[in-house]
Amino acid sequence: MSMCAEDRLALRLAIARLSFLSFAEKKLLEKKLDTVSRLALLSIDDLSFAIGRVINTRMWKPDVIEKRAERDMRLMEVLHIGCMFYDDERRPPLLDEIYDPPFALFYRGDPAVLSKPCAAVVGTRRPTGNGMRCTRELAFELAEAGFTVVSGLALGTDACAHAGTLLSSKGKTAAVLGSGVDTVSPASNKKIAAALLEAGGCIVGEYAPETAAEKWHFPQRNRLISALSLVTVVTEAPAGSGALITADFALEQNRELCFHECALSYPAVSAGAAGAGEHTGERAQKRAKAGREYRSVDRYIEEGARLIKNANDVIALLT
């Protein structure tokens, strides 16, 4: 890598870590600078002036930004982590259609699978036995039909979606993380992560190496799961679950949204117990403050979301 290319990469990696800036603000800042050392000279007032709004954050730490960028480059080389910035030709074109797309997309494995037709399969971390079976079957069928199955490598439904895809000889699956792609959490899913990489899939996310998973990262992660996919399929999910946040993003991004028929018999739905499973009062309050309506699976279906039973129904929805 030439010195000029290395300088540019360091600057871009440093800007990618500025999570308090929007995509447009990161691009604007990049245009005004040529090296990360120039970025490190900026005060918070300078940064505010550069992007055209007042920034009030404790996350701006210019004294460590150069060393952090250098460490990111070393880790990426050692751990075989790649990065697609917003102008990379390999970047999935669907990302350009959403509000505030990622400035950078870090990955391990083959990112080409993200540019093929993708279908997201998501749901609760506490699926029933029937839900696990239906998720594996659906993911397998989608893989057989040539889709890359996208999920979040979490416990429960996500793990079943990735595992079901890998049962197909054609199976390619992508895991979108809410942390750096060098960190797989929970540890129990490390075998699935290794298997999906070996099968030619990829692990992807917008967070730089050594970034720990934070609660607020997961809604951000969910928007990428739906953004990468032509269709989002929810298997089982109680009201207030992260899977339904993904469903909301799919609707906002003008993607197809459907629910597997097994969703209707999930206990937290059929019993009318919106407080069961993953629902918490704290999450409901945050959701209300964000202006999001707190809906059950039944409500989504009443409002027009499709009900499906297999991959053929999903394919018919897209044709």
Side-chain angles (χ1 to χ4, degrees):
M1 183 184 296
S2 68
M3 182 60 69
C4 183
E6 186 173 319
D7 286 345
R8 188 183 187 210
L9 176 58
L11 173 63
R12 286 184 149 193
L13 290 173
I15 291 174
R17 280 188 170 270
L18 305 182
S19 58
F20 52 87
L21 298 183
S22 70
F23 171 68
E25 289 169 343
K26 289 174 183 176
K27 286 180 64 178
L28 179 61
L29 188 60
E30 182 191 3
K31 287 181 180 179
K32 295 184 175 183
L33 299 169
D34 53 8
T35 64
V36 68
S37 59
R38 291 278 301 276
L39 176 62
L41 291 174
L42 300 183
S43 67
I44 192 69
D45 291 335
D46 294 332
L47 194 60
S48 298
F49 180 78
I51 64 167
R53 73 173 173 91
V54 175
I55 299 172
N56 183 17
T57 179
R58 295 180 181 178
M59 298 176 70
W60 176 237
K61 299 177 180 178
D63 54 321
V64 299
I65 202 164
E66 286 188 82
K67 290 184 178 179
R68 182 66 261 188
E70 291 172 2
R71 181 169 175 80
D72 284 342
M73 287 193 292
R74 289 199 303 271
L75 287 171
M76 289 169 65
E77 182 178 0
V78 171
L79 301 177
H80 304 290
I81 295 171
C83 186
M84 295 181 288
F85 292 97
Y86 62 89
D87 54 355
D88 195 310
E89 292 181 354
R90 302 168 301 159
R91 183 178 167 101
L94 285 177
L95 289 180
D96 295 330
E97 298 178 5
I98 69 169
Y99 172 76
D100 200 33
F103 180 81
L105 206 60
F106 297 89
Y107 65 87
R108 293 167 59 200
D110 184 4
V113 300
L114 297 171
S115 294
K116 297 179 179 179
C118 293
V121 178
V122 297
T124 178
R125 286 178 170 82
R126 301 177 180 86
T128 64
N130 182 54
M132 290 189 286
R133 178 184 61 79
C134 290
T135 299
R136 290 192 190 99
E137 289 179 355
L138 177 65
F140 173 81
E141 292 169 356
L142 288 169
E144 287 286 291
F147 285 88
T148 296
V149 175
V150 180
S151 199
L153 201 60
L155 292 173
T157 300
D158 289 5
C160 290
H162 295 303
T165 305
L166 295 174
L167 293 174
S168 166
S169 59
K170 305 175 183 178
K172 304 296 182 188
T173 183
V176 185
L177 303 190
S179 63
V181 296
D182 55 319
T183 304
V184 174
S185 178
S188 57
N189 279 348
K190 286 185 177 180
K191 288 185 178 179
I192 294 177
L196 74 83
L197 290 174
E198 186 176 351
C202 84
I203 297 173
V204 63
E206 62 186 315
Y207 299 107
E210 296 186 313
T211 301
E214 303 286 351
K215 287 183 178 180
W216 63 272
H217 288 177
F218 291 97
Q220 293 292 96
R221 182 276 304 268
N222 292 348
R223 96 187 192 288
L224 292 186
I225 290 176
S226 57
L228 289 165
S229 307
L230 297 171
V231 58
T232 292
V233 185
V234 182
T235 52
E236 295 178 322
S241 69
L244 295 187
I245 294 176
T246 309
D248 288 342
F249 278 123
L251 293 174
E252 292 172 10
Q253 295 161 352
N254 199 30
R255 304 292 194 258
E256 294 289 349
L257 171 65
C258 50
F259 290 81
H260 195 283
E261 60 184 9
C262 72
L264 297 179
S265 58
Y266 187 68
V269 175
S270 62
E278 297 155 330
H279 169 78
T280 65
E282 181 183 1
R283 181 176 291 175
Q285 290 173 11
K286 289 181 179 179
R287 191 174 177 86
K289 288 180 181 178
R292 294 181 181 276
E293 187 180 355
Y294 206 73
R295 292 181 285 183
S296 66
V297 169
D298 297 315
R299 181 72 178 275
Y300 284 93
I301 294 171
E302 288 172 5
E303 294 177 356
R306 302 294 184 90
L307 197 62
I308 61 99
K309 61 181 178 181
N310 54 42
N312 286 336
D313 291 342
V314 176
I315 294 167
L317 187 63
L318 297 174
T319 57

